[in-house]
């Protein structure tokens, strides 16, 4: 009998800091982040920035309280908000991926009930059925990480995480042989095309078993170019997209200081229908293309020994000890943003995440990044501040 499992982990860490957002480091960096503008959103509740529209005129936030979405303009006003939960005809169901802007006036998201396009008022524009019926799903979501949209040959396509089972599971070799990370979705035709396998040389073809979070894709599409990395495998792949699929153009191994190795798990520990994700293992969490650079946000993860230690505490039922140790180890994790030259994919910088912002991630639009200011731990605030940030190179 299959075990149905619906698992959603919203990785949303707020780190309070009394220091300025862009404090100078003792070590000179080739790159840094500079704030060029900000906007305040007057809200009550817990919002997380998900995406910024192509022209930077609109922002979409996930509201943890209502499980819905809040939209603001570039002055911080809130013209629209909607929630599509419950038993309604256009409900997306369990949220698999946060929304991404299709254009200035519409968003796309993935839920258990399909792929949905809505306008900013919440009117459903289109609904596409998943290529397979879903019995369960797991998802990890981070600030600034929603569905991707791109233009290929004058047409709009969506890129969504593939949720196909293909009649197998991670305890079988067939799973790794048939795996595809993404769906390339032709909106006009309503067609899904699965792309991005485990390429030759991928660590996920080494005969061991892996959890969904181990190979969760981080990606950015710019026209017909797709930049993608798969979870804890420190490699960047570049594909050329077409309406008939994706062609691998180049792969680059990434040397990341403090990036741990994924723990080895026997395939015997996996069984059909079971799903789980981990937040403490190494991963490449998001990719943004700005100016002539590719930015890769990474999380170095816990070492295998630390992972075993916290798992033992969790298994013993010592929840207090587990949380204390987890938080201590979390502070020691290597985190940052690799800066790659877009033309040759050489690493030209490694920038620490800024202090004073939510370091779970950030959004991008055009040549700018958008980061959330960390909330105060001392008092409840009735506003959220978003910084407009520019990557700066120092000669």
């Amino acid at each position: 009998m299959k075990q149905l499992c619906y698992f959603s982990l919203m990785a949303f860490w707020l780190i309070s800091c009394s220091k300025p957002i862009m404090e100078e480091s003792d070590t000179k960096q080739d790159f840094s982040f500079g704030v060029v503008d900000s906007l305040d959103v007057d809200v009550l509740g817990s919002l997380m920035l998900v995406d910024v529209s192509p022209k930077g005129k609109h922002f979409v936030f996930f509201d943890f309280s209502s499980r819905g979405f809040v939209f603001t303009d570039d002055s911080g006003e809130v013209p629209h908000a909607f929630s599509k939960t419950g038993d309604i005809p256009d409900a997306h169901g369990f949220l698999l991926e946060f929304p991404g802007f299709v254009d200035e006036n519409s968003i796309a998201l993935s839920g258990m009930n399909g792929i949905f396009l809505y306008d900013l008022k919440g009117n459903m524009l289109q609904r596409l059925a998943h290529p397979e019926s879903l019995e369960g799903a797991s998802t990890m979501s981070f600030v600034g990480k929603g569905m991707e949209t791109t233009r290929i040959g004058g047409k709009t396509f969506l890129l969504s995480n593939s949720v196909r089972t293909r009649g197998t599971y991670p305890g079988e070799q067939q799973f790794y042989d048939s795996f595809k990370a993404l769906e390339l979705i032709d909106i006009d035709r309503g067609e899904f095309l699965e792309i991005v396998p485990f390429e030759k040389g991928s660590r996920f073809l080494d005969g061991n078993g892996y959890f969904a979070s181990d190979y969760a894709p981080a990606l950015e599409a710019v026209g017909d170019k797709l930049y993608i990395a798969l979870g804890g495998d420190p490699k960047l792949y570049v594909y050329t997209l077409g309406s008939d699929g994706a062609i691998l153009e180049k792969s680059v191994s990434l040397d990341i200081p403090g990036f741990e190795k994924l723990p080895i798990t026997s395939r015997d520990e996996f069984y059909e229908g079971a799903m789980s994700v981990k937040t403490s293992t190494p991963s490449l969490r998001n990719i943004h293309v700005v100016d002539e650079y590719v930015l890769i946000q990474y999380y170095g993860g816990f070492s295998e020994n630390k992972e075993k230690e916290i798992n033992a505490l969790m298994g013993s039922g010592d929840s207090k000890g587990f949380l204390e140790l987890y938080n201590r180890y979390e502070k020691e994790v290597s985190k940052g943003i690799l800066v790659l030259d877009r033309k040759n994919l050489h690493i030209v910088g490694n920038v620490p995440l800024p202090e004073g912002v939510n370091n779970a991630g950030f959004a991008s639009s055009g040549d700018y990044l958008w980061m959330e200011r960390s909330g105060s731990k001392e008092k409840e605030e009735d506003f959220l501040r978003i910084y407009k940030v520019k990557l700066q190179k120092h000669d």
Side-chain angles (χ1 to χ4, degrees), residues 221-239:
V222 182
D224 67 350
K225 294 299 179 186
L226 170 65
Y227 301 84
I228 184 169
L230 299 179
D233 193 7
K235 291 183 180 179
L236 175 68
Y237 297 91
V238 183
Y239 290 85

Side-chain angles (χ1 to χ4, degrees), residues 205-276:
L205 297 176
D206 64 3
N208 294 303
Y210 291 96
F211 298 95
S213 50
D214 293 338
Y215 46 81
L219 65 139
E220 175 88 303
V222 182
D224 67 350
K225 294 299 179 186
L226 170 65
Y227 301 84
I228 184 169
L230 299 179
D233 193 7
K235 291 183 180 179
L236 175 68
Y237 297 91
V238 183
Y239 290 85
T240 296
L241 299 174
S243 59
D244 56 349
I247 299 174
L248 179 64
E249 298 293 344
K250 190 173 184 180
S251 65
V252 179
S253 295
L254 303 172
D255 183 12
I256 309 174
F259 197 84
E260 300 288 347
K261 292 183 179 180
L262 283 171
I264 293 177
T265 306
S266 169
R267 290 185 181 175
D268 294 337
E269 296 187 26
F270 296 85
Y271 56 94
E272 192 172 5
M275 299 174 188
S276 63

Side-chain angles (χ1 to χ4, degrees), residues 277-350:
V277 296
K278 297 182 177 182
T279 61
S280 57
T281 48
S283 63
L284 304 179
R285 290 190 163 171
N286 213 344
I287 297 176
H288 298 276
V289 176
V290 294
D291 293 320
E292 66 268 33
Y293 302 108
V294 179
L295 308 184
I296 302 177
Q297 180 193 350
Y298 66 87
Y299 177 86
F302 294 7
S303 68
E304 190 165 3
N305 288 337
K306 289 179 178 179
E307 185 78 14
K308 290 178 179 178
E309 191 176 355
I310 63 170
N311 286 341
L313 273 176
M314 182 171 61
S316 71
D318 183 2
S319 57
K320 181 180 179 181
F322 165 78
L323 286 174
E324 289 177 351
L325 189 62
Y326 185 98
N327 289 334
R328 177 157 65 87
Y329 286 164
E330 165 65 26
K331 292 178 181 178
E332 299 171 359
V333 170
S334 176
K335 311 178 187 78
I337 301 164
L338 286 185
V339 183
L340 279 65
D341 184 286
R342 188 173 170 184
K343 291 182 179 179
N344 54 34
L345 300 183
H346 293 168
I347 297 176
V348 294
N350 188 345

